[in-house]
Amino acid sequence: VSLTPDIALSPQPGHDLVALDDALVALAKLDERKSQVIEMRFFGGMTEAEVAQHLGLSEKTVKRRWRLARAWLYRELAAHD
């Protein structure tokens, strides 16, 4: 992954990563599939089609879980700050 100047860096990057990890662990406890979709899309760089094929889901289901999981993570991380 290449870094670009438009990426905002936090003054406490380790703190942000811990919060993200905590949120992903909490999401996995609530909904393992949404957590898997986040990990495959965000960290694995997989497309929605690739995630769908790997998990045996439709692309529509992956898109829906991706959208809901991102919203959930955003809310969790905003509450953490």
Side-chain angles (χ1 to χ4, degrees):
V1 176
S2 61
L3 297 177
T4 60
D6 58 326
I7 294 176
L9 296 177
S10 168
Q12 298 176 329
H15 178 72
D16 291 345
L17 291 176
V18 170
L20 177 60
D21 184 58
D22 290 345
L24 285 171
V25 168
L27 178 60
K29 289 179 183 176
L30 293 174
D31 190 325
E32 180 68 26
R33 287 288 197 186
K34 284 185 183 109
S35 176
Q36 290 173 328
V37 169
I38 287 287
E39 290 175 0
M40 290 177 186
R41 294 274 293 135
F42 188 74
F43 298 110
M46 296 172 76
T47 66
E48 290 167 344
E50 291 168 331
V51 172
Q53 182 178 9
H54 183 76
L55 295 177
L57 301 170
S58 70
E59 281 188 59
K60 189 174 183 177
T61 298
V62 169
K63 286 179 185 181
R64 184 174 52 249
R65 290 181 179 181
W66 171 242
R67 186 179 61 247
L68 292 170
R70 283 184 304 159
W72 189 91
L73 281 173
Y74 177 79
R75 188 181 70 228
E76 286 293 307
L77 292 173
H80 190 268
D81 288 336

